[in-house]
Amino acid sequence: AGLAPLARAAKDDALVAMADALVNEAESIVAANREDVERARSAGEGEAVIDRLSLTEQRVGAIAEAVRAIADLPDPVGEVVRGASLPNGLELRQVRVPLGVVGIIYEGRPNVTADAAALCLKSGNAALLRGSSSAYSSNVRIVEVLRGALQKAGLFADAVQLVPGSGRDSAQALMRARGLVDVLIPRGGGSLIQTVVEESTVPVIETGEGNCHVYVDESADTEMALGIAVNAKTQRYSTCNTAETLLVHAAAADRFLPRVLSALHGLGVTVHGDDRVRGYDDAVAPADESDWAAEYLSADLAVKVVDSLDDAVAHIRRYSTKHTEAIVTDSQSAARRFVSQVDAAAVMVNASTRFTDGGEFGFGAEIGISTQKLHARGPMGLPEMTSTKYVVTGEGHVR
């Protein structure tokens, strides 16, 4: 309630103060992060995990810049979504309002702590954060710094809180806090999201899991299809908008598959293919049911030959997580059919799945990619961190 009426200037000043504090306290944040890194090393975590977890003063500086960028974004609170004068003279306005208390359960990188706190503050929400136990020391210090900055800026320190504890009990307490928490947003892998969806009594916005497909149609331009398929898989392996399955129309297989398989092999990608794909390259591993359902998040790609666009759509309907699906085609009618029949938060026509992102869509920062249908779908920017209410103004109207 205390955050909702705040003017944009007050929120932006607080965000700038938070960014300044992160820079000023970079040394102590990195020192706390060292504890997390040492724990991860002792537990035998791989270098990729440790790199995602690690903070340097330069990385803390980049986190601060991301907070400053949120201060520069338009304030969604108070925006009039629609308005009208009714025939009886009543004035009707639908305006954006904060969601309230937003709980966020997330894995991995400690930068999410500052990003989530800043997005919630800008949209007038209180943030209740529960990061991964692997980044607990880092998250504790970052939240201390952010709360100190809020207090200094004259706002409520409790606008940003870390759920105490790093065990399963703390996550369960947040999931059961119906009536205290208005909405819960999980950010992380499929198992985390599934756990939150199944166990939470608080309304959940599902984000993240992406078994994304690229379908190369019979009329696709070979060069374009090659560029899109390679980019969608290899530009970055660990993101939810990375392609995990490539579907190729049988009529395009002879001209396209040898080239794409060679390109993927050259980039170190392991291809898991059906029998028809394996006929083009002995290095292709045999695919089974688990490959079609996999969100690999690694240098692996499932590849299948399909006999028609309808077969491609049927495969996507069966295995898609409804994140992002792409078609490469020179046929307008094929593109229209694919777009109308595929159910996903984003559908790409002749473009890489990697574009499903708040920044790439021009929304600025995002809290995650919503893969469900209620309230918000796709990249969740600041407007998606709000609900709406109707304001009705009359002059003594009675019904």
Side-chain angles (χ1 to χ4, degrees):
L3 291 173
L6 284 178
R8 172 179 177 175
K11 292 188 285 191
D12 289 351
D13 287 348
L15 287 165
V16 170
M18 287 160 65
D20 289 344
L22 287 167
V23 172
N24 294 337
E25 290 294 333
E27 200 177 319
S28 69
I29 292 169
V30 171
N33 176 254
R34 217 170 284 128
E35 297 174 21
D36 293 327
V37 170
E38 284 166 10
R39 267 201 311 275
R41 282 224 160 89
S42 301
E45 293 288 358
E47 282 307 310
V49 171
I50 287 167
D51 180 60
R52 284 199 294 274
L53 179 62
S54 297
L55 292 177
T56 61
E57 293 199 18
Q58 288 76 16
R59 285 185 175 185
V60 175
I63 293 170
E65 282 309 307
V67 173
R68 285 187 218 281
I70 291 169
D72 290 337
L73 293 171
D75 186 351
V77 179
E79 178 194 345
V80 178
V81 178
R82 59 181 169 177
S85 293
L86 303 181
N88 62 6
L90 283 174
E91 288 186 358
L92 180 74
R93 284 180 302 136
Q94 185 186 19
V95 298
R96 292 198 181 281
V97 295
L99 291 167
V101 177
V102 177
I104 302 171
I105 297 183
Y106 53 100
E107 293 174 328
R109 306 175 186 204
N111 66 297
V112 176
T113 303
D115 285 350
L119 281 164
C120 285
L121 178 64
K122 180 77 179 202
S123 51
N125 296 297
L128 197 48
L129 307 172
R130 203 288 185 177
S132 64
S133 55
S134 61
Y136 188 68
S137 299
S138 308
N139 291 338
V140 167
R141 184 65 195 128
I142 290 168
V143 169
E144 284 172 355
V145 169
L146 297 180
R147 285 169 62 88
L150 283 171
Q151 215 153 12
K152 212 169 172 183
L155 298 192
F156 328 94
D158 283 349
V160 177
Q161 296 183 59
L162 192 69
V163 177
S166 58
R168 185 167 168 75
D169 289 352
S170 65
Q172 283 185 321
L174 182 54
M175 288 187 266
R176 297 287 197 278
R178 190 178 181 93
L180 300 172
V181 178
D182 294 287
V183 66
L184 197 51
I185 303 174
R187 281 188 56 163
S191 60
L192 169 74
I193 293 163
Q194 206 53 45
T195 299
V196 174
V197 168
E198 289 173 1
E199 295 188 16
S200 178
T201 60
V202 176
V204 175
I205 298 175
E206 292 180 52
T207 70
E209 193 181 5
N211 183 14
C212 304
H213 299 73
V214 173
Y215 164 59
V216 176
D217 190 39
E218 61 182 319
S219 69
D221 176 88
T222 303
E223 294 302 324
M224 181 191 290
L226 188 64
I228 288 171
V230 170
N231 176 267
K233 177 67 244 183
T234 67
Q235 201 250 342
R236 198 168 165 200
Y237 293 127
S238 62
T239 54
C240 57
N241 56 17
T242 296
E244 304 291 16
T245 299
L246 174 64
L247 303 174
V248 181
H249 193 292
D254 283 350
R255 61 185 166 85
F256 177 68
L257 273 175
R259 292 194 59 191
V260 76
L261 293 174
S262 172
L264 291 166
H265 181 72
L267 290 165
V269 175
T270 300
V271 171
H272 306 256
D274 65 2
D275 289 342
R276 287 199 275 186
V277 174
R278 295 183 72 209
Y280 289 92
D281 189 342
D282 293 340
V284 174
D288 59 26
E289 184 71 13
S290 66
D291 290 295
W292 308 129
E295 184 187 22
Y296 291 115
L297 301 175
S298 61
D300 293 87
L301 181 68
V303 183
K304 182 178 185 180
V305 174
V306 292
D307 290 317
S308 65
L309 184 146
D310 289 338
D311 286 350
V313 169
H315 181 97
I316 289 168
R317 282 182 176 166
R318 180 169 179 185
Y319 297 104
S320 171
T321 52
K322 302 186 177 182
H323 189 298
T324 302
E325 307 299 351
I327 181 173
V328 186
T329 184
D330 273 354
S331 163
Q332 285 190 3
S333 64
R336 276 197 299 271
R337 278 172 59 211
F338 188 85
V339 168
S340 66
Q341 292 179 24
V342 166
D343 180 16
V347 181
M348 304 288 176
V349 178
N350 295 332
S352 171
T353 58
R354 288 284 289 122
F355 284 106
T356 305
D357 174 85
E360 293 294 332
F361 280 12
F363 302 160
E366 65 173 41
I367 201 76
I369 311 286
S370 169
T371 54
Q372 42 93 80
K373 296 182 182 181
L374 298 179
H375 168 63
R377 202 175 195 202
M380 288 186 63
L382 285 168
E384 287 72 36
M385 295 297 288
T386 63
S387 181
T388 62
K389 70 179 172 188
Y390 287 97
V391 180
V392 184
T393 305
E395 293 179 347
H397 282 67
V398 293
R399 183 176 173 185

